[in-house]
Structures are given as C-alpha cells and as structure tokens.
Amino acid sequence: MDKKIILTAVFISVIILIFSYILVSSAGKKEEKKSLNSLIPSKDKIVFYYGNTCPHCAEVEEWMKKEKIEEKIKIEKKEVYQNQANAQELTLVAQSCGLDPNAIGVPFLYANGRCYIGTPEVERILKEKTNNK
C-alpha cells in the first residue's frame, strides 16, 4: 500500500513538473516573439535597407538625390552589410512580410508595413509616396 502511495505521489509530481515546464517555456517564447517584434519598424515609417558596396543600392540613392525624395518624405536609411543589428532587423522585417530571409536582397524598402525589393519596386513606391509620377 505504501508503494502505491509513493508511486502515485511521484507520478503526480512528474506530471506537475512537466506541466510547469510547458507553461514557463511557452511564456518565454511569447516574450521572445514580443521582443523581436519590437525590432520591426512601425508601419508608418519608411526604411531603406542598403549595402555599402551594392551597385543597385547606389543607383537608388543617386536617383533619390536627383529626385529630391528625402526633401519630400522622411526615409530612414540602414546599411546592412557592415551593421549586423540592421541586418538582423532586415531579416525580421522580411519575415514579417512573409518573405524567406535567405531569398531577399538589397535595395529593400519597408513602407506601410509592406516590403519591396529591387530598384524598380523601390523607385516605384517612392514615386507614389512623393507624387512624382
């Protein structure tokens, strides 16, 4: 009889420990996800991600100067080749848009909570934003 009580107590203890672990683990994952989401820029921001040696990025930047885009709208520029924090942010932004981070590149624009990749797309969106049709 004593063995049954001890075995029952051990069994209940193991179940409680497993359940506690699951609760703590899922709470940690929610906190981690919330913290990662805080790295994604707000949807009202326009962020231009570029690489410092990317020729296409240089073309877009030159076009932005010529069209005086930054005088018309506020754009945050983030270099991703040398800056690992910006590169990580770009990865999270791409994932938030449902894109595979391994299949993206720069130039990359995040605007209105959407992602745009490549010179034609980036320029098209910036033209729309500045009414430069």
Side-chain angles (χ1 to χ4, degrees):
M1 187 85 130
D2 288 335
K3 284 185 177 182
K4 285 185 179 180
I5 292 173
I6 292 171
L7 285 174
T8 303
V10 168
F11 179 74
I12 290 172
S13 297
V14 168
I15 295 297
I16 289 171
L17 285 171
I18 291 171
F19 185 68
S20 298
Y21 174 79
I22 291 170
L23 283 176
V24 169
S25 176
S26 68
K29 286 180 184 175
K30 286 179 185 174
E31 278 301 310
E32 183 180 325
K33 186 174 182 182
K34 193 185 295 183
S35 131
L36 289 176
N37 283 339
S38 70
L39 295 175
I40 298 172
S42 64
K43 291 183 179 182
D44 62 333
K45 283 189 173 183
I46 300 173
V47 183
F48 176 66
Y49 296 94
Y50 69 97
N52 58 1
T53 58
C54 164
H56 302 292
C57 301
E59 288 174 18
V60 172
E61 288 186 288
E62 190 60 39
W63 174 84
M64 284 195 288
K65 283 180 190 171
K66 183 181 128 210
E67 297 294 323
K68 300 180 181 176
I69 299 295
E70 291 180 87
E71 294 176 18
K72 299 172 184 173
I73 57 175
K74 184 175 181 188
I75 299 176
E76 193 171 341
K77 293 181 176 180
K78 296 193 175 188
E79 199 285 326
V80 298
Y81 287 178
Q82 302 296 319
N83 187 312
Q84 289 305 306
N86 290 345
Q88 181 183 16
E89 180 181 304
L90 174 58
T91 296
L92 294 172
V93 167
Q95 288 173 332
S96 78
C97 290
L99 301 172
D100 177 1
N102 296 319
I104 62 162
V106 289
F108 187 104
L109 187 73
Y110 180 72
N112 297 345
R114 292 193 162 153
C115 298
Y116 305 94
I117 305 170
T119 302
E121 279 290 289
V122 170
E123 289 181 1
R124 180 181 65 80
I125 294 304
L126 291 176
K127 280 179 188 176
E128 288 176 12
K129 293 263 179 222
T130 59
N131 296 317
N132 279 1
K133 305 218 173 163

